[in-house]
Amino acid sequence: MRDLSYYSVRMRASKSKPHEEGGKHISGGEQLVLFDEIRGAVDKLLHKSLTHSRGTPDFAQIQFEVVDEPVQVISPLQVTTHTTNSVDEGQLLAQNLLMKCGVPFPIIQKAYLLVEEYAELSGAILIDSKTGQRLDESYHNGKGIRVSRMDWRDENFKKWNREIAANQNNRLKEALTLASKVSMHQATVAELCWSDDPDYTTGYVASKKFGYQRITTLKQYGNEQGCRIFFVDSSEDVTKYIDYLKTNPVLIQWEVNHE
Ligand code: WAQ
Ligand code: MG
Ligand code: MG
Ligand code: MG
């Protein structure tokens, strides 16, 4: 009988040492595929790890495991692109969008201090949207929470891309997949992200209410400092929230006729 289970395939690559020994994070990736697609997924992730603008790794780990939980299928967030002309303009817009999502300005300021303090993360920082306190410090040696077990089937993504985005870009696919999974959870107030890849300056603010708001200049070209922050409603159970981020399998699917 054909195996219809999904498999989570994950990669992490670093330089100098493995992540847990303090090595520099180079690249990570996660996919959710059928058994027959595991080889292709491993190949893709291997290629991603070996050809990265943050450098050549000397440690990498790729693993797969079967996923037992039922896969939840959700729509992608709606995408809006803001073309900005400077980092200042981009950052100001990001802060305004976060405030619209309900994150008070002093908390946003605290978040930016945390980003500078924890420049070398491979996951996301979780911040209490009311107090600015970091919520994930006791997990993963403070390296941040890595959202996993999510994907967007190629065919459906390509259809969406053709009709909506016209922007053949794997990075957008990965980020929108992650942001859609993260914003689905009621504990997420908003997400702020830009890449740690020196050659990519576009980032976004995402939320269930306002969708995926891309901003083209959130940092200077050449800068290797990235950011991924989830502003969290801490009246929710944070341990359960982290478990959702790491283990709940989610597939993105765009329906042509949905509203
Ligand atoms: N879970 C949690 N945090 C992650 C994950 C993950 N699966 N993947 C990356 N991060 C964190 C980690 O700290 C990285 O250093 C940081 O985010 C940046 O990751 O055109 O490419 O993969 O619309 O470099 C956004 C805009 C691009 C895309 C984001 O992030 C677009 C990007 P990167
Ligand atoms: Mg990525
Ligand atoms: Mg990166
Ligand atoms: Mg679970």
Side-chain angles (χ1 to χ4, degrees):
M1 215 175 81
R2 199 176 143 78
D3 179 3
L4 288 177
S5 302
Y6 276 94
Y7 291 78
S8 161
V9 189
R10 290 184 293 163
M11 176 277 289
R12 62 186 173 107
S14 63
K15 197 173 181 68
S16 299
K17 290 177 196 146
H19 296 88
E20 55 274 29
E21 291 168 29
K24 177 190 180 188
H25 174 66
I26 298 291
S27 172
E30 27 280 309
Q31 297 195 23
L32 192 61
V33 300
L34 298 168
F35 184 83
D36 292 347
E37 299 164 335
I38 293 175
R39 185 188 296 263
V42 168
D43 236 37
K44 217 163 145 183
L45 290 171
L46 180 63
H47 178 79
K48 186 181 181 190
S49 75
L50 292 176
T51 56
H52 207 276
S53 63
R54 284 177 63 78
T56 313
D58 44 30
F59 169 90
Q61 181 175 305
I62 300 180
Q63 70 180 65
F64 73 82
E65 65 200 327
V66 72
V67 168
D68 295 320
E69 297 92 335
V71 175
Q72 191 182 356
V73 179
I74 65 171
S75 296
L77 288 173
Q78 190 167 327
V79 175
T80 308
T81 300
H82 305 272
T83 305
T84 45
N85 294 311
S86 67
V87 177
D88 284 350
E89 189 191 341
Q91 285 292 351
L92 193 65
L93 176 58
Q95 291 167 22
N96 281 327
L97 288 168
L98 287 170
M99 283 190 279
K100 260 176 80 177
C101 294
V103 186
F105 186 63
I107 307 301
I108 297 172
Q109 284 178 307
K110 274 193 177 180
Y112 277 88
L113 291 178
L114 285 177
V115 172
E116 296 216 341
E117 192 177 339
Y118 301 101
E120 285 295 311
L121 296 187
S122 48
I125 297 180
L126 274 52
I127 291 178
D128 185 327
S129 67
K130 292 201 182 71
T131 65
Q133 194 199 332
R134 191 173 168 194
L135 298 170
D136 65 292
E137 215 158 13
S138 55
Y139 299 84
H140 301 282
N141 304 317
K143 284 280 180 192
I145 302 298
R146 194 86 199 171
V147 186
S148 189
R149 299 191 169 187
M150 69 275 178
D151 213 330
W152 190 346
R153 311 283 301 164
D154 262 340
E155 221 163 89
N156 186 261
F157 171 73
K158 282 186 183 139
K159 197 163 76 181
W160 174 87
N161 197 37
R162 246 189 340 263
E163 294 183 36
I164 303 286
N167 175 338
Q168 218 34 267
N169 178 344
N170 207 46
R171 210 184 269 279
L172 170 61
K173 175 184 168 184
E174 287 176 6
L176 182 54
T177 300
L178 181 148
S180 300
K181 174 175 175 181
V182 171
S183 68
M184 260 293 291
H185 197 287
Q186 58 197 15
T188 305
V189 175
E191 176 188 358
L192 170 66
C193 169
W194 64 85
S195 181
D196 58 353
D197 305 3
D199 54 353
Y200 206 74
T201 63
T202 299
Y204 64 87
V205 172
S207 65
K208 197 165 192 195
K209 197 160 169 199
F210 300 108
Y212 182 93
Q213 303 270 342
R214 300 176 83 212
I215 301 169
T216 56
T217 52
L218 281 182
K219 68 170 191 187
Q220 278 326 330
Y221 192 89
N223 184 332
E224 287 202 344
Q225 183 160 343
C227 165
R228 198 157 232 140
I229 296 177
F230 304 157
F231 293 91
V232 178
D233 175 355
S234 64
S235 63
E236 299 284 333
D237 184 329
V238 174
T239 307
K240 276 196 188 143
Y241 178 57
I242 291 175
D243 184 62
Y244 166 83
L245 296 173
K246 289 171 59 177
T247 70
N248 276 42
V250 169
L251 279 178
I252 308 303
Q253 190 166 319
W254 179 65
E255 305 291 355
V256 185
N257 291 321
H258 89 315
E259 299 199 275

